[in-house]
Amino acid sequence: MASLKSLLKDTVIYGMSSIVGRFLNYLLVPIYTHCMPKETADYGTSVNMYAWVALILVFLTFGMETTMFRFANKEGEEPDTVFSTAMATVGALTVVFLGLLFGFMGPVSTALGYAEHPEFLAMMAVVVAQDALQAMPFSYLRFQKRPIKFASLKLLFIAFNIALNVLFFLVLKRTEVFYVFAINLACTSFITLFFVPDLLRIRWKFDGALLRRMLAYSWPLLILGVAGILNQTFDKLAFPLIYKAGDATQQLGIYGACVKVAMIMAMITQAFRYAYEPMVFSIAKDKDSKGTYAVGMQFFLSFTLLAFLCVMGYIDILKRIVGDYSEGLAVVPIVMVAEIMMGVYFNLSFWYKLIDKTIWGAWFSLAGCAVLIGVNLIFIPQYSYMACAWAGVAGYGTAMTLSYLVGQWKNPIPYPMKSIAVYVVLTAAFYAVMHLISGWSLVPKLTVNTLLIVAFAAHIYWWDIRPRRASSL
């Protein structure tokens, strides 16, 4: 129970940086969608560029975040040496990446469709390089259980980012996507400076033998990470190349803007992961660890399903975030379901990480990625961005199902499937009611939706939280 209390406390702190930060970032969406008209396709350009950034970041970090947690918690390993070795590896990959990109800037920018604006590619290359280098210190803060500093730096980045966006887009009336990239570069560089004192206090030591063991653990995680990020970004990377029925970049902008509304799931999953991952490895030898993992899964699902109902219950208010781009809001519930599946898949992934069989994760992710890519390639030409949304459900659903079935065979965890099924059925029923009354006027509709949300939250409290609190007394 103490571990769950610690998980809840850390999730709240990490969640404040993630959820509050993402909420503040939501303020940027109406700025962009109102200042960059969809006809210019500038917003679509930013969606495409950030998809490339996310993919490259996975290669540069090489699975070293999870690998560092695993080895830093192993008996006989020195955490500072583990961190130093991981940091050196990421640093070397980053230097090679920047050298190759700037050495072949012309051909690369032409191939990606940025021949007229190679400066976009240059700025974001430096951003992704710094993001990769920051990933290890941020992970070390989580290992050291220093969520306050972690959250403070994340929120500082957001505050600086919003301030500059307000200045350039609202005060100075800039409308070009160039400023989106330039502001990101400035903010990322600013945060990098705050890690210098911590890096100077580390007892730096590179261990070649340790690196070989770490790479043996991390390379399947790299495959898993690449497959996972392709699940999230392939549609945004491929859409301009596949969709021929209209302005592909403009349609991508509509899809990208509306997906932002669904990203509350990514916030919750990220906050949970930041707190949960270090705890999972630290309690792996406890007798009741599997019971803790099972309870963690149940709480993750119950609160993400509550978030789903909250978003769908107040979609008439949230749609104002995207303004003229709201024609694509039909993707929101579909994308949220895909995000929930991704979160469940993350929770299921620990069975193979804890027995050092990360290759299983690579196979599951590749299978899901193959399904997602296939759905996108086949259906985007006919169904536009709706195919992108359903491809996410198909891909994550495949990976999630495979991980659960094989995990229950290889390293079974007693997940409370009956309780989970009750939550899923209850969510589906409440969402069906919300959908049926969607034609009502605003006030009665919001009243009914609010009552449904309160009823769901009450179910979580009376059936899960309250009994567990009572049993711990």
Side-chain angles (χ1 to χ4, degrees), residues 239-261:
F239 193 90
L241 304 175
I242 300 173
Y243 185 70
K244 304 298 181 182
D247 189 332
T249 308
Q250 178 182 325
Q251 292 297 302
L252 179 60
I254 294 170
Y255 173 64
C258 291
V259 164
K260 291 289 187 181
V261 178

Side-chain angles (χ1 to χ4, degrees), residues 22-40:
R22 291 289 186 95
F23 174 76
L24 293 175
N25 258 335
Y26 271 157
L27 300 178
L28 298 179
V29 178
I31 291 176
Y32 294 156
T33 54
H34 286 82
C35 293
M36 293 187 287
K38 62 182 180 182
E39 291 78 16
T40 67

Side-chain angles (χ1 to χ4, degrees), residues 39-76:
E39 291 78 16
T40 67
D42 270 8
Y43 191 74
T45 298
S46 70
V47 171
N48 179 255
M49 181 63 77
Y50 280 109
W52 283 111
V53 166
L55 178 61
I56 294 168
L57 185 61
V58 172
F59 282 101
L60 297 185
T61 53
F62 209 86
M64 282 293 164
E65 293 171 280
T66 299
T67 301
M68 190 194 71
F69 283 127
R70 178 60 174 157
F71 281 81
N73 281 290
K74 278 189 172 184
E75 292 184 10

